[in-house]
Amino acid sequence: MATSLNPYVLSAPNSKIRTVFNKVDGKEGLVKFVLGEPNFDTAPNIIAAAEKALEAGHTHYVANAGIFELRKAISDKMQRDNHIYYDPQTEIMVANGGTEAIWLSMQAIIEPGDEVLVPGPYWSPYPSLVKLLHAVPVVVPMLEEDGFMYNIENLRKAVTPRTKLLILNTPCNPTGGMADLQLLKEIAALAKERDFYVMSDEVYEKLVYDGNEHVSLASLPGMKERTITVNSFSKSYAMTGWRVGYVMSDAKIIKYCNKLHELEASCTNVPAQWGAVEALTGDQAVVDFMLGEYTRRRRMIVDGLNAIKGISCVAPKGTFYAFANMKGANMCSDEFCNRLIDEAGLVVIPGDAFGEYGEGYVRMSFAVSDETIIEGLNRLDMFMSKLSI
Ligand SMILES: Cc1ncc(COP(=O)(O)O)c(C=O)c1O
């Protein structure tokens, strides 16, 4: 039919986070742990750099891959912090946030019918994007008993001759799990043995606690050419609304990403790119400050959750999310969250928003004020104490 629309578009389930959002929109007196974004404003030096760029006339199209100054700053950062050299001319592309970087790199790699290994629980766009490409998401569990990270045996079992890509998200949204060096080595060996690519989503790399170390998979021998590393300014620099992210891999893959970027967006907002240059090359004290705040709030929320009857929470190794086990409430996470809103005025995200392996949990962002954490824990405690458990 000439008037039919692409059925794949609406086959992607609606974001449960958005459903919760809509349910509470306009309601007064709620305590919310919803958004996955820093509650800090972008640092003044970054804002000033973007303003200066506008005044200097940086208001035109630039290269699809992004301004060279930003690609060079990213290359330097990757050498310094992640111990990988990416050539700023050919191996780095600036995108409209990590979201576009992920979408373009998937388009560059995935063919119809391919299988893509997706972490479960997952950041909800992953399986939807895979389906849009007429490929098959294969969700691999990352259970609490495995530290909310892949277990190599589960991965090994999930690989088939059609596996084209594995998505690794470390530190992980929504659980805060992280891949350690041993697991990364095992993933690298499996990827080489079974010949698939890995997309390493590292947008939370700066938010790690308790001496955990973030290691980039691409820094392991022989992995740069089969890893697509995605990063972003959103979480580390409190720049969610600026929409600047980046993708790095070998020149062959980045050439494909650039081609797609040319077709989809031409380039990323140019003053925002100049702000991002300042983020990477300017004073990093703001990153340390925010990490210090999250470290303190993480302790508050995790200790508070573990003190509530029927709730437990493994301390997240990274990110700003607490993924609390609410199986003691004897109801599904969806009912639990709806009742929390209606009976306690408390808004958290049901674990099934992140797929079937999120069931039995709720996600609470601790990128919120101390007052919100204290009040939220009080409300949860009161709610739980009224349940007959
Ligand atoms: C795991 C993960 N990857 C990527 C992104 C994309 O972030 P952005 O597009 O703001 O860079 C997010 C945002 O919440 C995320 O949680």
Side-chain angles (χ1 to χ4, degrees), residues 231-276:
N231 211 325
S232 163
F233 291 83
S234 290
K235 319 288 176 175
S236 310
Y237 292 96
M239 290 174 68
T240 45
W242 293 65
R243 309 311 302 131
V244 190
Y246 47 103
V247 52
M248 300 158 291
S249 192
D250 81 346
K252 188 178 69 187
I253 293 175
I254 296 303
K255 189 174 165 192
Y256 274 61
C257 291
N258 275 324
K259 178 75 197 169
L260 291 160
H261 204 206
E262 178 190 333
L263 296 171
E264 288 189 6
S266 183
C267 62
T268 298
N269 179 300
V270 177
Q273 292 193 52
W274 283 102

Side-chain angles (χ1 to χ4, degrees), residues 180-354:
D180 61 16
L181 186 57
Q182 177 59 27
L183 177 66
L184 293 177
K185 284 182 180 166
E186 290 167 345
I187 290 175
L190 188 61
K192 287 179 203 163
E193 178 195 325
R194 303 297 300 269
D195 194 22
F196 56 79
Y197 290 109
V198 184
M199 189 175 73
S200 183
D201 178 347
E202 305 182 6
V203 304
Y204 293 95
E205 68 161 351
K206 296 283 181 207
L207 307 178
V208 297
Y209 311 101
D210 291 346
N212 285 297
E213 196 195 346
H214 169 74
V215 180
S216 289
L217 182 72
S219 67
L220 271 57
M223 284 309 286
K224 182 178 154 183
E225 50 275 29
R226 57 172 76 240
T227 305
I228 301 92
T229 306
V230 169
N231 211 325
S232 163
F233 291 83
S234 290
K235 319 288 176 175
S236 310
Y237 292 96
M239 290 174 68
T240 45
W242 293 65
R243 309 311 302 131
V244 190
Y246 47 103
V247 52
M248 300 158 291
S249 192
D250 81 346
K252 188 178 69 187
I253 293 175
I254 296 303
K255 189 174 165 192
Y256 274 61
C257 291
N258 275 324
K259 178 75 197 169
L260 291 160
H261 204 206
E262 178 190 333
L263 296 171
E264 288 189 6
S266 183
C267 62
T268 298
N269 179 300
V270 177
Q273 292 193 52
W274 283 102
V277 172
E278 174 62 21
L280 285 181
T281 56
D283 190 354
Q284 299 298 299
V286 65
V287 178
D288 297 337
F289 169 75
M290 289 190 287
L291 181 63
E293 283 297 295
Y294 295 138
T295 305
R296 200 174 47 72
R297 295 176 196 173
R298 165 181 173 268
R299 201 23 67 213
M300 262 172 91
I301 198 164
V302 170
D303 289 349
L305 285 167
N306 282 317
I308 297 174
K309 190 170 161 231
I311 301 284
S312 65
C313 184
V314 171
K317 292 183 174 141
T319 73
F320 41 51
Y321 306 111
F323 203 58
N325 184 323
M326 43 60 67
K327 293 174 187 167
N330 291 327
M331 62 183 98
C332 72
S333 61
D334 194 53
E335 182 187 350
F336 184 75
C337 290
N338 278 313
R339 285 188 57 182
L340 271 183
I341 294 171
D342 297 337
E343 298 171 33
L346 175 60
V347 193
V348 302
I349 304 294
D352 70 343
F354 311 99

Side-chain angles (χ1 to χ4, degrees), residues 351-363:
D352 70 343
F354 311 99
E356 62 176 306
Y357 294 106
E359 186 48 76
Y361 297 85
V362 292
R363 191 192 78 176

